[in-house]
Amino acid sequence: MAMNSDQQEEQLIQSDDVNEEKKERNSMFLPHKGFIATPILLGINVLVFILMTLSGVNLFEPKTLELLQWGADFGPLTLTGSWWRTLTCNFVHIGIIHILMNMYALVYIGVLLEPILGTRRMFAAYLLTGLCSAVSSLFWHAETISAGASGAIFGLYGIFLAFLCFHHIEKTQRNALLSSILIFVGYNLIYGLKEGIDNAAHIGGLISGFILGFVYVMALNEKRSKLQKYYTMGGEAGILLIYLIGLLVLNKNVPSDYQDLRHEWDNGLVQAYLTGESNESEKYENQKEHPISKRITSKDQLPPYAPFTASDTWLNFSSEKAGIRLRYPSNWQTAETTRQDNETILLQQRWTNATNHLIITVSQYDTDEIYEYNKKLSLSIPRNAQNEPSEDYKRSTLTINGLNFIKTDNMQHFGAPDEEGYEILQTVLYYFSPEKKTIYAFVMLINDEAAQQDLDDMLENVQFTHS
């Protein structure tokens, strides 16, 4: 069908409009003159996320260990030598939703801000406000793992807010943009009050960005190029100095247990522990799905002890509430069994390896009368399978880290009354603190000699912080 010249011209105009739209969309993601920093920063963030995913990191919910290995900010590591995490955390994201939201916000502000700042200032602004946001996060909650570009992006919004407030942008655009930016910042800060969102980084980035933006406004208002350069470099140096001072202050007040954690990280203990958490969860689920239904009637049917191998390591356990720290081998599984509704029991933690067990219980009582009653009960003579006073029990003392424990050994019978059953050595250790009305109880069931050695090694390094 033939077309007249008017129709051809209209079609060409429509085609040009479509091409122009495509070109405009692509221009937001590809570097070009006057818009280089934003697409490059976008590309670095996306590239890091792709590499994380290709290395096996979960697309939606990365594990704690994976985030730490890729450079997330975490006080116990950042403040004990890994200062570089304050930079790398600005390019690491916690799942695909996280990065999509942040990259949308980065492109949005980049389109508005980079034409005003220029490429070099845009790069510097992202990096400097990102560093300040990381330090702010460390001041607020150093023991929270922090990652994502949002702190640096808030810094860019802070800079743009300074330009809007100090009238560098035309009045016709300023009011609409100012309302839009304030709504965006306000909404995200309120939303950031939710658990799991690092509002400290947002606020640190926003404030440092606003300060840097004020200096940039002064620089761009200056007609002499040499003074523009001095203002810019001075402002950037000032923000860098704020970051360095903050980091130095934090490093001068590093808690002692951060150094312990750093040592464990360097020796692979933290990695083993975090990997073990997921392994133990899988084991627990398997046990629920495939419970042991076979009835055990003799000692020969008991599961064998799992020995300490070259792939095992020593892990740390601590309870601030109960005032106990100890190290245990990773061939033992551990689980807390403290009842949340029982205020008397400060801690009840179990370690198991086949039929070998260690159970630590720390109980604190309200009155001297209740404390004395439970002390007397604890020192009762053990009873045998017929519920008669045991004749083979032994009582002695054992010193653990300067505290004298009362030790009781006796054989415990397991099995139904009509079955032969089997016996396992039970060792119970008690330490009584009348000043704190607290009783420390260590109960051990020992079926293997190798397990006895493990338990002896565990007891040797028990530390009491409240005694």
Side-chain angles (χ1 to χ4, degrees):
M1 181 177 173
M3 290 189 294
N4 59 36
S5 59
D6 289 341
Q7 289 176 320
Q8 288 178 333
E9 187 177 347
E10 186 177 343
Q11 190 177 49
L12 286 172
I13 291 171
Q14 289 176 347
S15 176
D16 288 342
D17 288 343
V18 170
N19 290 333
E20 193 63 34
E21 281 182 26
K22 288 182 180 177
K23 187 177 178 181
E24 195 173 314
R25 279 200 303 271
N26 291 334
S27 69
M28 291 194 299
F29 302 103
L30 297 174
H32 60 273
K33 187 176 180 180
F35 192 71
I36 297 173
T38 302
I40 289 178
L41 289 169
L42 173 72
I44 293 172
N45 277 281
V46 172
L47 177 62
V48 170
F49 187 77
I50 291 172
L51 292 174
M52 288 174 66
T53 305
L54 291 176
S55 72
V57 176
N58 189 285
L59 191 65
F60 295 96
E61 294 183 2
K63 295 176 181 175
T64 298
L65 178 59
E66 294 167 340
L67 292 172
L68 292 175
Q69 289 173 330
W70 278 90
D73 193 14
F74 181 52
L77 298 181
T78 306
L79 301 177
T80 54
S82 299
W83 60 268
W84 45 266
R85 290 178 179 276
T86 56
L87 175 64
T88 56
C89 69
N90 294 289
F91 298 94
V92 176
H93 285 85
I94 310 173
I96 191 167
I97 303 300
H98 189 206
I99 192 171
L100 286 175
M101 291 175 66
N102 279 348
M103 293 306 98
Y104 171 79
L106 174 61
V107 170
Y108 181 82
I109 191 63
V111 169
L112 296 170
L113 189 59
E114 187 171 351
I116 302 172
L117 290 185
T119 297
R120 197 204 67 79
R121 289 193 188 95
M122 189 70 179
F123 273 125
Y126 182 95
L127 297 175
L128 289 170
T129 58
L131 290 171
C132 287
S133 72
V135 164
S136 176
S137 178
L138 291 171
F139 268 109
W140 204 316
H141 39 60
E143 294 173 17
T144 297
I145 293 173
S146 178
S150 56
I153 292 168
F154 262 79
L156 299 178
Y157 275 90
I159 292 172
F160 195 65
L161 194 58
F163 275 86
L164 291 171
C165 290
F166 298 108
H167 312 304
H168 190 82
I169 294 170
E170 291 181 14
K171 189 175 180 180
T172 53
Q173 296 179 335
R174 188 170 62 240
N175 291 338
L177 287 171
L178 186 59
S179 298
S180 174
I181 296 297
L182 287 174
I183 290 170
F184 173 85
V185 170
Y187 170 78
N188 279 279
L189 289 177
I190 293 170
Y191 183 75
L193 297 173
K194 288 178 61 177
E195 186 178 354
I197 297 177
D198 192 357
N199 234 0
H202 295 168
I203 294 169
L206 184 68
I207 293 173
S208 61
F210 190 82
I211 295 169
L212 184 58
F214 176 72
V215 177
Y216 281 162
V217 168
M218 292 198 319
L220 294 176
N221 282 338
E222 179 58 53
K223 294 179 181 178
R224 288 168 288 184
S225 59
K226 187 177 278 191
L227 282 179
Q228 271 193 12
K229 186 178 178 181
Y230 288 156
Y231 276 133
T232 298
M233 293 180 67
E236 292 167 353
I239 296 298
L240 182 61
L241 187 61
I242 290 172
Y243 158 74
L244 291 173
I245 291 172
L247 199 60
L248 285 171
V249 170
L250 286 164
N251 274 282
K252 282 197 171 185
N253 298 284
V254 175
S256 59
D257 55 346
Y258 282 19
Q259 294 294 348
D260 295 338
L261 191 57
R262 158 59 66 179
H263 179 72
E264 292 167 8
W265 174 266
D266 291 340
N267 288 285
L269 300 180
V270 175
Q271 294 89 322
Y273 174 75
L274 292 173
T275 303
E277 274 187 341
S278 59
N279 291 341
E280 287 309 311
S281 176
E282 290 171 11
K283 286 180 186 177
Y284 177 69
E285 291 301 322
N286 288 336
Q287 287 173 0
K288 286 200 299 183
E289 292 175 14
H290 308 287
I292 300 172
S293 57
K294 183 179 177 181
R295 216 170 158 187
I296 296 174
T297 58
S298 71
K299 201 169 183 177
D300 294 335
Q301 295 175 284
L302 296 174
Y305 163 78
F308 189 89
T309 65
S311 62
D312 285 305
T313 187
W314 283 81
L315 307 175
N316 272 0
F317 168 81
S318 67
S319 170
E320 293 300 321
K321 186 178 180 182
I324 281 185
R325 293 181 183 176
L326 63 84
R327 299 183 74 197
Y328 67 95
S330 59
N331 58 320
W332 286 68
Q333 289 80 51
T334 186
E336 185 177 4
T337 56
T338 310
R339 287 180 55 183
Q340 300 301 317
D341 59 343
N342 191 332
E343 295 181 2
T344 299
I345 297 178
L346 303 180
L347 170 71
Q348 190 167 66
Q349 190 81 16
R350 177 190 294 270
W351 286 263
T352 59
N353 185 326
T355 53
N356 305 283
H357 300 264
L358 165 64
I359 304 167
I360 297 179
T361 305
V362 181
S363 305
Q364 189 173 53
Y365 302 96
D366 294 331
T367 65
D368 291 329
E369 290 77 11
I370 299 175
Y371 164 77
E372 290 296 337
Y373 172 79
N374 280 277
K375 177 181 177 181
K376 183 178 178 181
L377 198 64
S378 300
L379 295 176
S380 301
I381 296 174
R383 295 183 174 270
N384 59 24
Q386 288 73 41
N387 201 30
E388 297 170 348
S390 178
E391 297 176 357
D392 60 355
Y393 83 94
K394 296 178 182 178
R395 186 159 281 169
S396 58
T397 59
L398 178 69
T399 302
I400 302 176
N401 198 23
L403 300 183
N404 292 321
F405 280 73
I406 296 173
K407 178 182 179 184
T408 304
D409 294 307
N410 72 292
M411 301 305 292
Q412 280 283 345
H413 181 86
F414 291 86
D418 58 338
E419 296 173 351
E420 182 182 349
Y422 54 92
E423 290 191 334
I424 292 180
L425 174 64
Q426 176 179 270
T427 298
V428 181
L429 303 171
Y430 283 112
Y431 173 73
F432 303 99
S433 175
E435 297 85 4
K436 297 183 180 295
K437 298 187 281 292
T438 302
I439 298 176
Y440 297 81
F442 292 47
V443 179
M444 292 173 281
L445 293 172
I446 306 160
N447 187 39
D448 301 272
E449 290 183 10
Q452 176 72 71
Q453 184 59 52
D454 284 351
L455 290 167
D456 289 344
D457 292 340
M458 291 165 71
L459 292 177
E460 278 184 13
N461 62 71
V462 173
Q463 296 180 3
F464 303 93
T465 58
H466 293 175
S467 58

